[in-house]
Amino acid sequence: MLSLLWLIPTLPLAGFLLLVLGGNHLGHRSIAMIGTGSVALSALVAILIGIDFITAPPPGFVFRQEAWTWIAVAGFSPGIVFYLDALSLVMVVVVTVISFLIHLYSTEFMSGDEGYARFFAYMNLFVGSMCILVLADNLLFLYLGWEGVGLCSYLLIGFWYRDPANGRAARKAFIVTRVGDTAMAIGFFLLFTHLGTLDIQPLMQRATQQWPVGSELAILAAALLLGGAAGKSAQLPLQTWLPDAMAGPTPVSALMHAATMVTAGVYLIARTHALFVLAPAVQFAVAAVGALTLLLAGFSALAQNDIKRVLAYSTISQLGYMFLALGVGAWSAAIFHLVTHAFFKALLFLSAGVVIMSLHEEHDIFRMGALRKKLPLTFWAFLIGSASLAALPLVTAGFYSKDLILWQAWSSRGGNPWLWAAGWGGAILTGLYIFRVVFLVFFGEARTVAPPEIRRPGLRITIPLIVLAAFSVVGGWIETPSFLGNLTLFSDFIQHALPPTQVVHDSKNDEIVLELLAIAASLGSVALAYLLFLRYPAFLHGLMLVPALASVRKLWHFGWGFDSFYEFLFVRPYLWLAHADQRDVIDDLYRMSFSCTLRCLQKINRHDLIDNLYSGLAGLCLFFHRTLSATQSGQVRRYAAAIAAGSIGIIFVGVFAWSSLH
C-alpha cells in the first residue's frame, strides 16, 4: 500500500481538474460525486496506508517515494518526492478524513448556489495543496503546497465575491499571510545558501552538525521560519486576518480551521524542530507568542456577537496552545492537540452552519435563543464540541490534549510557571466564551422571531455531525495522564518522528494538583458562564454600563486595536500612495521644473542660438515626458500587450542579428 502514497494528493487534484474543465457542463449530483468522491478515495488510501505503516513499518519508520526531478540547475535538483513518517501520516489522515466529512456536509449546505462547481473545485485544490505540504520531502515542494493553500484561502474567503466586504476579507488574508511567507522564503534562501540543500532531513542533519546551539545563523533561520508559521497559523502579530476570513461559506471556515491552512504553521515548526532546538531563544519566543496569543484571542472571543467570529478567535487561541507546546519542547502534545482540535473545531463550525442556515443567515448570537428543542441534533453536536473545546474532564478529547499541554508547560525543560499560568488562564477564558455561545443560542428565550419553518439538516449534514461528535468524545483516549492509566499510544507513535519531551519536574503529586486545577478551570468557567449569561444576565448588563468596562469590551471586540494600528501604520499610507494619482503629481512636478527652465532661458536671451539649443532640449524632454506619461494608463491589458510587442521585437532583432553574423 505504501507505493500508493502519491495518490493521496493526486486524487483531490484530479477532482479539481475535472471540475475546472467540465464543471459548467455537469449537474450538481455529478459535481458532488467528483468533488466529494475524490477526497473520499484520498482519505481511504491514507487510512489503508496508515494501517500498513503501523502493522508493517518500513525501515526506520520512514518511507520515501520519488516521482521525478523537478528542477536540475547547477547542482540544485529538488524533486517531487513524498516523505511519510509518523508525523506526516498523522497529518495526512486528519486532513483527508476531516476534509471528506466537510465535503459531504457541503454537498447539502451549498446546494442551489450558482458557484457549486467552482466551490468544490477550490475545495479540492485546497485539500490537494495541504496534502502536498505535509507529504513534501523538501522545502521547495513544501512551499508549493504552502502557497497553494494560501491561494485557495483567498479564493474561498472571497467566494461570494459580489459582496465587496468578502473581497476585502480575502485580500486581507492573502496580504497578511504573504508577510509571513516572505520571511519564510528568505529563511529558505538562508538555509540553502549555508547548508547546500532544501531536502528537509539532510538539512536538519547538516544544521545540527555545522551550527552550534545558539549560533546566529540558526537563530536567524528559525526566526524567519517562525514568521512564516505565525502568518499561516494566525499568531501575534499576524493574527488579524483570521476573524475576517469568516466571510466565506461556513464549510470553508471549517476546512480552514480544522484540517488545512492554519495548522500548517504548527506542522512547519514540528517538521523543522531540530532547527528550533539549535535556537533556544527563538524556541522560547514560540512559547511566548503562543501564550500571549491564546490570552488575547480568548478575551476577544468573549466580546464577539457573530457566532463564527467567536469560533475564529477560539481557533487563534487554540493554535496558541499548540505554539506554547512547541515552544517548551512538548512536540507530541502539540500535534495531539492539533488532532483533537480538528475534530471539535470542525464539529463546532458545521453545527454553527446549521444554526445560521436554519435562521436564514442570522449570525448574531444575541438574536438567537431557545434553539435546543427546534434543532436537537445540532444542539447536542454543538454542546459536545463546546465541551471538548472547554476540556471538560474525562468525557471529551480536548481534556486529554489540553491538559497534557498544561502539564508539560510546567514540567518540561522549556516550561515555567508563567507559561503554565497563561495556559491555565486561557482554559478559564475558553470555557467562558464557548458556553456563553451555548447558553445564548440554545437556551433562554428566543430573542428574535424565528422563521415559521426552520430548515432542518438532511442526512448529508447529519452524518458528519455524528461522526465528528464521536471523534470529539473518544479521540483523546489514546493518550491519558498517569492517574488515568498513563496510556501513551499517541506519543509513543509520534516519537518515531519527533523527540520526546524532556521532563524535569516529574512529581506525581504535582501532576495530580495541576490536573485538579485544570479541571477546576474548565468546570468553573462553565459555571461562571451559566451565572453571567443565563441565570443573572442583568448583572452583566449592569457591568457593561460602567464606561471603563464598556471601553475594555470595545477594545476586546476590535481585536485589541491591531487592525486600527496596522490601518494607521501601513494601510492608509499605502492607499494614499495608490489613490493620490501619483502620475499627476509627478507630471505637475516635471511641468513646473521644465516651465521654470524655459522661462529662465527665455529671460536670458530669446534670440541667442545657444539659448535656443537649450530651449529646444528642454522642450524635447517635456515632449518625451508627456508622451511616456500617457502610457501609464493603469490598464493591465495595455501593459501586457506592450510587453508582448517588445518581446517579439527583441526576439526579431536578435534573430536578425544572429543570422547576419552567421
Side-chain angles (χ1 to χ4, degrees), residues 307-585:
I307 187 171
K308 288 177 66 176
R309 287 182 72 88
V310 175
L311 298 180
Y313 277 109
S314 167
T315 298
I316 297 173
S317 182
Q318 298 308 301
L319 289 165
Y321 274 103
M322 299 175 208
F323 270 62
L324 172 60
L326 294 170
V328 301
W331 312 104
S332 61
I335 303 303
F336 185 38
H337 194 56
L338 184 152
V339 173
T340 61
H341 176 264
F343 297 147
F344 61 71
K345 188 51 61 70
L347 178 62
L348 286 169
F349 266 110
L350 297 186
S351 302
V354 175
V355 172
I356 294 168
M357 178 181 66
S358 302
L359 297 181
H360 294 198
E361 300 306 312
E362 180 60 68
H363 287 238
D364 191 342
I365 59 177
F366 287 98
R367 293 180 57 82
M368 301 176 185
L371 289 177
R372 71 183 186 279
K373 294 182 179 179
K374 297 176 182 178
L375 296 169
L377 174 66
T378 306
F379 162 66
W380 284 107
F382 196 92
L383 181 63
I384 292 171
S386 300
S388 191
L389 172 60
L392 293 192
L394 305 182
V395 294
T396 64
F399 164 74
Y400 298 99
S401 60
K402 186 181 291 184
D403 284 15
L404 180 61
I405 291 176
L406 291 178
W407 164 238
Q408 295 189 350
W410 175 280
S411 63
S412 69
R413 183 178 297 277
N416 62 62
W418 291 105
L419 294 175
W420 174 88
W424 188 76
I428 296 175
L429 291 172
T430 302
L432 194 57
Y433 68 65
I434 195 58
F435 274 88
R436 167 179 177 259
V437 176
V438 171
F439 293 135
L440 291 176
V441 172
F442 295 101
F443 289 84
E445 297 179 357
R447 285 169 288 276
T448 187
V449 178
E453 291 293 334
I454 288 185
R455 182 181 171 186
R456 297 184 181 276
L459 192 62
R460 288 172 292 170
I461 286 179
T462 301
I463 291 174
L465 293 183
I466 293 174
V467 173
L468 288 169
F471 284 156
S472 298
V473 173
V474 305
W477 294 355
I478 55 177
E479 189 80 15
T480 62
S482 59
F483 68 92
L484 290 175
N486 196 28
L487 191 64
T488 57
L489 293 178
F490 184 84
S491 58
D492 290 343
F493 177 70
I494 206 71
Q495 282 172 14
H496 291 293
L498 298 172
T501 305
Q502 297 181 9
V503 176
V504 294
H505 304 291
D506 196 17
S507 169
K508 299 298 181 183
N509 291 333
D510 287 351
E511 184 177 3
I512 293 175
V513 169
L514 293 176
E515 289 288 351
L516 290 175
L517 287 174
I519 292 172
S522 60
L523 295 178
S525 62
V526 174
L528 183 59
Y530 168 77
L531 293 174
L532 291 177
F533 303 110
L534 191 61
R535 190 77 175 90
Y536 303 111
F539 172 75
L540 186 63
H541 180 71
L543 287 179
M544 290 300 102
L545 295 178
V546 179
L549 295 179
S551 298
V552 170
R553 182 190 180 280
K554 185 177 180 181
L555 179 66
W556 294 352
H557 179 77
F558 290 105
W560 295 83
F562 277 90
D563 276 318
S564 299
F565 177 70
Y566 293 155
E567 178 88 12
F568 173 78
L569 191 62
F570 300 112
V571 178
R572 288 185 182 178
Y574 178 82
L575 291 178
W576 181 85
L577 290 171
H579 293 163
D581 197 352
Q582 293 300 294
R583 188 178 68 252
D584 291 345
V585 174

Side-chain angles (χ1 to χ4, degrees), residues 8 113 116 144 157 172 219 296 300 403 464 482 528 549 562 570 589 658 660:
I8 296 177
D113 194 287
Y116 199 70
L144 176 66
I157 293 168
K172 182 178 180 180
I219 291 173
L296 295 185
S300 291
D403 284 15
S482 59
L528 183 59
L549 295 179
F562 277 90
F570 300 112
L589 291 174
W658 184 85
S660 299

